[in-house]
Amino acid sequence: MTWRARSRRRILALVLFCCALLSCAHVDDGSGGGFGRNSAEARITHLISEGHFAQAEALVAESTSSGLLEQSAAAALRRQIADLSMKLGEIPARLQRVPSFPSRLKDFTRHELQKMYDAENFSIATKKELQTALKLLKDVAKDNSRLLQKL
């Protein structure tokens, strides 16, 4: 086979390959189910896990307005941010009157308390106090989610 014949075969193969790629390509319908959505949700989840709630909230708003995030997913992420950023001192007064309420932890968020508990850092509070605080915050979050479901 001559050099020209090989070149023609290569060009033909390249053209056929490009045609196959074009026939497999699809147009994004804007439903938010593509790569952008997954990367936006992954970034938001990472920010939440690191405790950067303000940045996560801003990214949720931006992603929702640009169509990368559906309203239902945005609502779930906002609920998660609200639950993790709630301070122990913000829970209802009736729960703050429990006999074993750890009042010195009032300025800590659920996220911070969970990190202390997971790291077994009992320098600020005992294990029992952290457990009580986390339970109270989880109960409030559960009640709030039930209330939202009823609406």
Side-chain angles (χ1 to χ4, degrees):
M1 202 183 297
T2 65
W3 177 80
R4 282 186 196 255
R6 278 185 270 164
S7 293
R8 286 183 189 148
R9 280 187 129 175
R10 287 182 186 155
I11 291 173
L12 181 61
L14 182 63
V15 168
L16 290 174
F17 179 72
C18 290
C19 289
L21 283 177
L22 288 174
S23 68
C24 292
H26 64 280
V27 177
D28 184 20
D29 60 358
S31 65
F35 179 74
R37 174 181 174 202
N38 293 337
S39 64
E41 280 188 72
R43 180 70 181 143
I44 293 166
T45 303
H46 175 74
L47 287 170
I48 292 171
S49 71
E50 293 292 317
H52 302 292
F53 302 122
Q55 291 174 337
E57 182 65 40
L59 189 55
V60 166
E62 184 179 319
S63 298
T64 304
S65 67
S66 66
L68 293 176
L69 197 59
E70 296 173 2
Q71 292 293 333
S72 60
L77 289 167
R78 284 188 178 115
R79 225 179 355 260
Q80 184 180 9
I81 291 169
D83 291 345
L84 290 173
S85 63
M86 179 181 284
K87 292 184 179 183
L88 187 61
E90 296 172 352
I91 65 173
R94 65 180 169 76
L95 293 175
Q96 291 186 28
R97 287 190 290 265
V98 297
S100 58
F101 183 76
S103 59
R104 64 175 158 210
L105 298 176
K106 288 193 327 184
D107 295 329
F108 290 96
T109 64
R110 178 178 171 190
H111 176 74
E112 294 167 334
L113 294 170
Q114 188 67 51
K115 283 206 171 250
M116 278 189 253
Y117 184 78
D118 291 342
E120 296 182 1
N121 178 4
F122 305 120
S123 60
I124 296 175
T126 65
K127 182 177 182 177
K128 182 68 175 166
E129 289 174 325
L130 286 175
Q131 287 174 334
T132 302
L134 288 170
K135 181 173 180 352
L136 290 169
L137 286 167
K138 286 177 185 176
D139 288 347
V140 170
K142 193 184 306 181
D143 287 343
N144 287 343
S145 67
R146 277 193 222 136
L147 181 63
L148 287 174
Q149 287 174 355
K150 289 180 182 179
L151 297 176

